Amino acid sequence: MEEKKTLVDEVASDKYDPSDRPFDFVEEGGKTALICESDPSIKAEMISILKEMDYQITDTVSVRDALKAMRFHVYDMVVLNENFDTDDPDANNVLKYLERLPMGIRRNLFVALVSNRFRTMDNMAAFNKSVNTVINMENFGDFKTIIKRGVADNEAFYHVFKETMKKMGRI
């Protein structure tokens, strides 16, 4: 009996292709971001804002592209529209992939979920979806402020833990 592979499993089992690597070089301390947004005008604004914040950007057009990019690089930030490459936001394969990441990787990754269903900075929705913050499209004009606050809150939350891990030589 043949077991059905998911898209995540298919991408994970693909052969190595150097052209799938999102960056040839990232300078030490350089920040990277993955954009998973289908609307070109919103995506352009996200990219502009994140570049302004000194992120190197990977722009994806499909879930397969996003999964391939994450296969070869651990991003500092992922901005994901819950409807990216799907009609059912509860069946978003990028979100499913992120939910399954080992905690050691996941806690170093900031995930912003762009939604039409949840309120901006709804902590219960963020917890339920395993993301760091939620941005409702009605508040997209404040994208930069929301991202900055979310990243600052996340850094403050993990500061003591990460410092302790460094002192113990585990990072």
Side-chain angles (χ1 to χ4, degrees):
M1 187 163 126
E2 188 173 314
E3 191 173 309
K4 186 178 177 188
K5 280 186 167 184
T6 64
L7 181 60
V8 174
D9 295 332
E10 283 179 35
V11 171
S13 65
D14 279 351
K15 290 182 180 177
Y16 173 72
D17 181 355
S19 66
D20 289 338
R21 291 180 48 203
F23 305 104
D24 289 330
F25 173 74
V26 177
E27 110 184 27
E28 188 172 333
K31 299 180 292 185
T32 57
L34 178 72
I35 307 294
C36 301
E37 172 59 56
S38 301
D39 185 319
S41 63
I42 292 171
K43 181 189 292 189
E45 197 166 337
M46 286 175 177
I47 289 171
S48 171
I49 290 168
L50 291 174
K51 280 186 175 177
E52 201 176 286
M53 296 169 69
D54 294 328
Y55 282 92
Q56 292 185 43
I57 309 294
T58 299
D59 177 14
T60 59
V61 294
S62 68
V63 169
R64 181 174 288 276
D65 284 350
L67 294 175
K68 280 183 177 180
M70 286 191 285
R71 180 178 174 206
F72 294 109
H73 185 77
V74 178
Y75 288 87
D76 297 296
M77 178 182 298
V78 173
V79 180
L80 170 66
N81 188 314
E82 66 181 354
N83 292 317
F84 178 67
D85 207 13
T86 184
D87 293 328
D88 181 6
D90 292 322
N92 187 313
N93 281 315
V94 175
L95 196 54
K96 286 180 180 178
Y97 174 80
L98 293 170
E99 287 172 352
R100 295 181 192 157
L101 283 175
M103 186 49 76
I105 294 172
R106 180 61 187 86
R107 78 171 58 100
N108 292 314
L109 173 67
F110 183 85
V111 179
L113 182 68
V114 178
S115 172
N116 288 317
R117 300 184 295 170
F118 306 115
R119 296 182 67 172
T120 296
M121 301 187 98
D122 181 341
N123 290 331
M124 286 305 290
F127 178 75
N128 183 275
K129 294 295 178 185
S130 298
V131 299
N132 297 90
T133 195
V134 174
I135 303 170
N136 189 293
M137 283 306 296
E138 290 180 9
N139 301 111
F140 187 72
D142 296 321
F143 179 79
K144 184 176 182 178
T145 305
I146 295 165
I147 290 290
K148 277 186 169 182
R149 181 171 168 195
V151 169
D153 287 351
N154 192 52
E155 286 174 1
F157 184 77
Y158 282 112
H159 178 76
V160 172
F161 176 79
K162 288 181 178 179
E163 288 300 314
T164 303
M165 294 299 276
K166 276 183 190 171
K167 286 179 185 171
M168 294 173 62
R170 295 184 146 191
I171 293 182

